[in-house]
Structures are given as structure tokens and as C-alpha cells.
Amino acid sequence: MQIFDAHLHIIDFNFPIIENKGYVPPQYTIEHYQNDTAQLNILGGAIVSGSFQGFDQNYLLHALKQLGPSFCGVTQLPYTVTDDELLSLNEHGVKALRFNIKRGGSEDISKLDYFARRVYELVSWHCELYIDSIDLPEISHVIESLPAISIDHLGLSQDGLPHLLKLVEKGVRVKATGFGRVDLTVPKTLNAIYEINPDALMFGTDLPSTRAKRPFEFGDIEIIQQNFDEQACEKIFYTNALNWYFNC
């Protein structure tokens, strides 16, 4: 089974780490990630900047260089970033901009409309939102008008699921990640999203699962395999995310 890991973190203490609300993550290097996924057929992935990494790009560029061109970056940036900086990051493998509404550390959500359009028009990036779906109605009118948006960790909460599904109908993508951090019935949620848009779900390990109630385990993969046929699994595990990040 081919996997494009649509959500992973690399935490390298050789680069700046910012305490976030009293939390400092453990180190999680490329070697840790490769050891933890050695039994999986991972052909590429997306390295996602966390709240504790702020606007630092050096750790991300280093990790992308080490992991190679089949991996891409999801970064956090201030809206004042220059066009030249965006173009350079794009050339080095960054493919998306993250807004971390849940934890902070990124640009303020008030800049989403302007910033999402800017990065899409200049470098064809989409934007990723780490948000509890219960809060989606406050910004859904903005999200619906934007060209390309994905939402992390199944939107986190059961109470917000109807809001998430409405956005899936509008073309928003959803990461099938962080099963150990959500307040959802995961199989039912996955099926509800897939029925609306088979291209929407993108699997990721969420390693090292910082602050999750339980970290990623291989059983998370089995949940998907047990609830979808082979064709659907190929889309969820590989082709949906590959196409989303690399515009295939």
C-alpha cells in the first residue's frame, strides 16, 4: 500500500523552538520519523510547521532537503512576507500555508482572506486550518469563497461535524489525521466525508502526535482499511494528497 503522509512534524532542537502556552515538544528528528514509519510504504509527505515553530523556515528547509523532493512543506508566515520570499520557499518545496487557530503561532485568522488569495495566485499554494469545526461558522463565508482550503484532524469535534460537512460540499479538503486527538466517531466521520467528496480525505500519521490524547498507531491505518474498499483506500492513503500538494 502506497502512502503519502499528508501530516507530519519534524522537531529539531538545532533550530528555534518556542514555548506554546507552557508546552515544549519533545525532539522528533527525521531519523525518529523514518524509524517509526519503517514498516510503512511512505513515498512522500507534508512536513507541517507547529505552533512551537512560529515563523522559522530554516528547520523546514533543512528537513525538506534531507527528505527529498517527494516531501513538501506546510509553513507559517506573517502576511508581510515578500513575494520574493514566497517564490524562494516554493522553489525549495513549500506547498501550503498554515493558520493555527487552535494553538496559535501563526498569522491571525483575520488575514486569511487576503493571504490565502495572495499565495494561491503567486505560487498556487492552498491554506491549511487547524481549527475546531465548532468554530467554523464564524469564518465559513470566507472559507467558501477561497480557492483552496484544507482542514486538519477531521475538524476535531462531533459538535462541529455538520459545519465541516457543509464545507466539504463546497470543495474543502480534510485531513484524516490525529485520530487520537479527536472527539468523533472516526469511521462514521470518514464515511460521511467520503460520500460527499471522494477526493476530500487525505491520510497522515500526525507523528509525533504532540499533545494528542493518544499518539498515532498502526491501528489508525486499519480503521481506514476496514471501512473502505481498495480503490477508496488508494485515494485516501495516496492519490488525494499527492494531487492536492503537487497539483498533479
Side-chain angles (χ1 to χ4, degrees):
M1 181 181 61
Q2 297 179 327
I3 293 176
F4 185 97
D5 187 351
H7 198 101
L8 66 109
H9 299 283
I10 299 298
I11 305 166
D12 187 339
F13 285 0
N14 289 312
F15 299 92
I17 297 293
I18 304 166
E19 182 179 300
N20 178 262
K21 299 178 182 178
Y23 177 78
V24 176
Q27 180 158 253
Y28 192 75
T29 64
I30 290 171
E31 184 178 5
H32 288 128
Y33 174 74
Q34 291 174 330
N35 287 340
D36 286 345
T37 59
Q39 298 180 47
L40 303 177
N41 186 23
I42 292 180
L43 302 184
I47 307 167
V48 179
S49 290
S51 59
F52 39 78
Q53 287 160 323
F55 297 142
D56 176 55
Q57 307 304 312
N58 291 321
Y59 98 89
L60 184 57
L61 296 177
H62 179 264
L64 288 170
K65 184 177 181 180
Q66 295 298 310
L67 285 169
S70 63
F71 284 78
C72 62
V74 179
T75 196
Q76 299 168 158
L77 289 165
Y79 81 103
T80 54
V81 64
T82 67
D83 285 357
D84 285 346
E85 289 172 305
L86 288 171
L87 291 166
S88 177
L89 289 170
N90 186 65
E91 286 294 316
H92 286 87
V94 178
K95 297 294 181 182
L97 176 67
R98 193 184 201 208
F99 284 80
N100 193 329
I101 299 95
K102 178 73 173 177
R103 302 289 187 190
S106 67
E107 183 56 87
D108 189 82
I109 193 63
S110 64
K111 304 297 192 300
L112 174 62
D113 188 45
Y114 158 79
F115 211 175
R117 294 178 190 279
R118 182 182 169 208
V119 299
Y120 185 81
E121 291 170 3
L122 183 66
V123 284
S124 300
W125 291 0
H126 67 268
C127 284
E128 305 193 357
L129 309 183
Y130 184 16
I131 185 172
D132 190 319
S133 55
I134 197 67
D135 297 322
L136 285 172
E138 298 176 18
I139 57 171
S140 60
H141 64 289
V142 175
I143 294 174
E144 290 176 12
S145 70
L146 293 176
I149 297 286
S150 70
I151 293 176
D152 293 345
H153 309 319
L154 299 175
L156 294 174
S157 70
Q158 183 66 42
D159 289 344
L161 182 57
H163 308 311
L164 178 69
L165 296 179
K166 287 180 182 178
L167 291 175
V168 173
E169 292 175 356
K170 303 290 186 178
V172 169
R173 308 301 176 93
V174 180
K175 289 193 178 184
T177 58
F179 296 171
R181 66 172 76 244
V182 304
D183 178 25
L184 289 160
T185 304
V186 171
K188 289 183 178 180
T189 302
L190 294 171
N191 278 288
I193 294 169
Y194 191 87
E195 286 177 8
I196 295 170
N197 182 2
D199 295 331
L201 286 171
M202 302 179 291
F203 168 78
T205 62
D206 188 35
L207 285 168
S209 308
T210 55
R211 287 189 274 200
K213 289 176 287 187
R214 94 163 155 75
F216 166 76
E217 57 189 25
F218 293 145
D220 293 340
I221 290 176
E222 294 172 353
I223 289 172
I224 297 173
Q225 291 175 319
Q226 291 165 1
N227 284 275
F228 294 94
D229 62 24
E230 184 176 348
Q231 182 180 6
C233 283
E234 183 178 2
K235 291 176 71 67
I236 295 167
F237 284 118
Y238 187 67
T239 56
N240 284 352
L242 181 68
N243 294 341
W244 184 239
Y245 282 101
F246 287 94
N247 299 313
C248 296

